[in-house]
Amino acid sequence: MGISAEDEAKIRYNVEQRAIARRKRSEEEKSVSGNLYLDSQAQELSGTGLNYKMIGDEVELEFATKSEKNTAGFIVRRRAAKTNDFVTLRSYEDWGPLASQGDDGGIYRYLDSSATPGGWVYRISEVDNSGNESDLCQVSTKCNLLLNHCYSTSEHNHQPLSSPRTKIYQVSC
């Protein structure tokens, strides 16, 4: 076919890199369940995704649900960017405002006062009345708390939700 050894090596390298990326994506998919795995863009378009904004040196998270039939409550988790292990910040079991608001759903807020500068991924998981967990939504952020700015690192488009002076974005969940 007339391919040089150098070109063949480049092609092999690219094929290997794509295989590594596919394996990594497959592993990441194993750590996600529920609505977050099934259709994250539909949540973004419906407005039921996870929103965040900076309030001083704290990160406020807000999410909404349209229906909570058989829902006991929610769990808020966070992990550092480029890591895999989420840490539970709060649960409906130890913080009442995360308990289900009833069959018609509701709006939930959580203020993370323990965030430090850097990249963070926040995830909300729904827990049903039998104790089964289902990931609902998540947001990736890069926060510079000293300058009071927070930016979305989501691959999806984000839309400003407030005035230009306040850095608030709705991002894909």
Side-chain angles (χ1 to χ4, degrees):
M1 191 157 141
I3 297 176
S4 70
E6 184 179 330
D7 287 342
E8 184 176 348
K10 288 179 183 177
I11 292 169
R12 288 184 189 275
Y13 175 78
N14 286 336
V15 169
E16 288 173 13
Q17 292 303 308
R18 288 183 183 140
I20 290 169
R22 279 192 302 274
R23 281 193 299 272
K24 183 178 178 184
R25 202 169 24 252
S26 177
E27 287 299 315
E28 289 173 352
E29 287 175 353
K30 291 178 184 176
S31 71
V32 177
S33 65
N35 291 336
L36 181 57
Y37 178 74
L38 297 175
D39 196 354
S40 63
Q41 286 185 327
Q43 290 179 35
E44 179 180 8
L45 295 173
S46 70
T48 59
L50 182 58
N51 302 308
Y52 71 90
K53 67 179 176 181
M54 296 301 299
I55 299 177
D57 288 341
E58 301 173 313
V59 179
E60 182 185 63
L61 302 173
E62 180 182 88
F63 66 99
T65 61
K66 291 186 176 182
S67 174
E68 294 179 25
K69 292 181 171 64
N70 193 36
T71 300
F74 301 91
I75 300 172
V76 178
R77 292 186 171 103
R78 179 185 72 196
R79 70 172 170 82
K82 300 182 183 179
T83 65
N84 295 322
D85 298 325
F86 279 91
V87 173
T88 299
L89 298 176
R90 282 294 201 175
S91 167
Y92 70 99
E93 294 176 313
D94 61 17
W95 198 58
L98 290 174
S100 174
Q101 294 181 16
D103 288 350
D104 294 331
I107 296 173
Y108 298 84
R109 288 184 185 86
Y110 175 74
L111 190 63
D112 182 9
S113 57
S114 65
T116 57
W120 298 102
V121 178
Y122 290 92
R123 179 179 286 176
I124 306 298
S125 298
E126 180 178 21
V127 182
D128 69 18
N129 290 325
S130 299
N132 300 311
E133 291 185 23
S134 174
D135 298 326
L136 184 64
C137 54
Q138 74 181 28
V139 63
S140 299
T141 63
K142 182 171 182 172
C143 299
N144 183 342
L145 300 176
L146 300 175
L147 297 175
N148 196 19
H149 295 292
C150 202
Y151 304 95
S152 168
T153 56
S154 171
E155 293 178 9
H156 300 285
N157 294 331
H158 54 272
Q159 304 169 342
L161 296 177
S162 187
S163 71
R165 295 179 57 213
T166 306
K167 300 282 185 181
I168 308 173
Y169 297 96
Q170 178 175 8
V171 297
S172 173
C173 287

